[in-house]
Each structure stands twice: as structure tokens, then as C-alpha cells.
Amino acid sequence: MSDYRDVTPNQSPESLQTVKEVIRYIVDYLRHPIQKIKVLPDWNWSTLVITLIAVSMVSGVISGLIPPNIYRIAGGLIVAPMVGTVTSFVGALFIYYYFQVFEKRTCSFRKIFTLILFANIPFFIFQTGSELIPPITLVGFAFTALLMAVGLTENFQMDKRRSLRLVTILFAIVFILWLYNRIEVARM
């Protein structure tokens, strides 16, 4: 008799099916982002958070590979998921309370978080080239802002002009922060 036992994790059929569903949805989303942002998936919190961590991790690692840098790759594995998760939750909280205060209604926080997650995918994609072409980050965020406006209008029945105004303000804030960061980097 052997003293060794099998400690291979059991993949339940449900979790494997969920992974396939997530991958299939993301591939479809990448093909048709405008159509897919209009009808968001109804995933549970663990699926949403794991998807966000995986997407930000992949983006962070690819960023570390362009050009190759072991510290940036490690940062992509460790720091990028933390930053992506925190900023997504902060963004979702901002939108949630925006609805509370300015729209005078309560919307599902999970649905808002889902919108933030999928709207940020173009940002994560464009972020990979930011080391070579720093302004490409703004291009990614511009696509994110566009998808946010569509998502807010279609999923939350927000007035189109108000949603455009809101994402324009958010884009302006991101632009100012990006510009400040670039100036600080240039000073060093």
C-alpha cells in the first residue's frame, strides 16, 4: 500500500462549465462589444471577481512582456489584479451612489460591477502597450467610456445625455491623472 494519496483538486462539472461560459462570453464580447455590453451576463460574485482578476492578471503579464521585464511581469501577477479589483469596486460604488443621489433610484450593485468589469476590458487590452506608447492608455479608456455610456443607457435606462456627461467627466478626471503622472515621470 502506498503512503501517497491523490491531492489533485476535483474539478466539478459546474465549475468547468462556468469557465467555458466565461471564456465563450469574453470571446463573443471581444467580437461584438457594443452588442454584448447592452445585455450583461447575470453571474455570481465569485465568477465576476475571478474573471476580473484573471483579465487584469493577463493584461499585467502581457504589459510586463512588452518590453520584457521580470519585475513588471511579477507586478502584473500580483499588483495588477489588486489594482484592477480595487478600482473596479470604487468605480462601481461611484456609479451606485450616483444613481442614489442624482437619479433617485437604487440599482443592483452586482449589475453595476458587471458593467464596470466588461467596460474596462478595452482599457486592459490597450494598457498592454502603454510602456511603448503611453497615450494608448487614453485610447483604451476612451473605448471604456464609450462602452460605459452604452451600458448605462441600455442596462439602467439612464438618459443618453446624462450618461455621456457622466462618462465625459470620468474621462476628464482620468486624463488629468494620467497627465499628472506623465509629468511626474518626466521630472524623475
Side-chain angles (χ1 to χ4, degrees):
M1 212 162 184
S2 173
D3 288 346
Y4 299 101
R5 55 190 180 123
D6 184 16
V7 292
T8 307
N10 254 345
Q11 283 283 340
S12 69
E14 297 88 27
S15 64
L16 191 57
Q17 190 62 30
T18 301
V19 170
K20 287 179 182 178
E21 177 188 338
V22 168
I23 292 171
R24 192 173 21 254
Y25 187 87
I26 290 175
V27 169
D28 285 346
Y29 175 83
L30 292 173
R31 288 184 185 144
H32 311 287
I34 298 289
Q35 286 78 21
K36 292 308 246 181
I37 203 79
K38 291 178 181 180
V39 182
L40 297 170
D42 187 22
W43 294 344
N44 61 36
W45 276 109
S46 60
T47 301
L48 290 170
V49 171
I50 290 169
T51 301
L52 173 63
I53 289 170
V55 168
S56 59
M57 201 178 278
V58 167
S59 171
V61 169
I62 291 172
S63 293
L65 293 172
I66 306 172
N69 181 317
I70 191 72
Y71 297 111
R72 291 187 52 235
I73 293 171
L77 286 172
I78 299 165
V79 178
M82 290 189 298
V83 171
T85 303
V86 168
T87 56
S88 293
F89 271 105
V90 168
L93 276 172
F94 176 82
I95 300 295
Y96 178 80
Y97 285 112
Y98 173 87
F99 277 115
Q100 295 270 326
V101 173
F102 297 106
E103 300 284 322
K104 307 281 191 255
R105 61 189 168 115
T106 301
C107 294
S108 164
F109 184 73
R110 186 167 46 99
K111 191 170 183 179
I112 294 169
F113 184 82
T114 305
L115 174 63
I116 297 283
L117 165 63
F118 285 102
N120 274 324
I121 288 178
F123 174 77
F124 286 127
I125 291 170
F126 280 90
Q127 183 68 22
T128 59
S130 66
E131 189 67 26
L132 297 175
I133 308 167
I136 203 147
T137 300
L138 296 175
V139 173
F141 195 74
F143 282 114
T144 291
L146 170 69
L147 291 170
M148 279 292 297
V150 171
L152 288 169
T153 302
E154 296 293 326
N155 292 288
F156 300 99
Q157 291 69 47
M158 188 174 179
D159 178 63
K160 190 182 283 188
R161 282 189 302 170
R162 283 204 307 265
S163 68
L164 285 171
R165 189 177 312 135
L166 176 62
V167 297
T168 301
I169 290 168
L170 292 174
F171 184 83
I173 291 168
V174 168
F175 177 75
I176 291 167
L177 291 173
W178 177 86
L179 193 59
Y180 175 77
N181 183 39
R182 297 309 307 165
I183 292 169
E184 288 299 313
V185 166
R187 282 187 191 169
M188 292 181 177

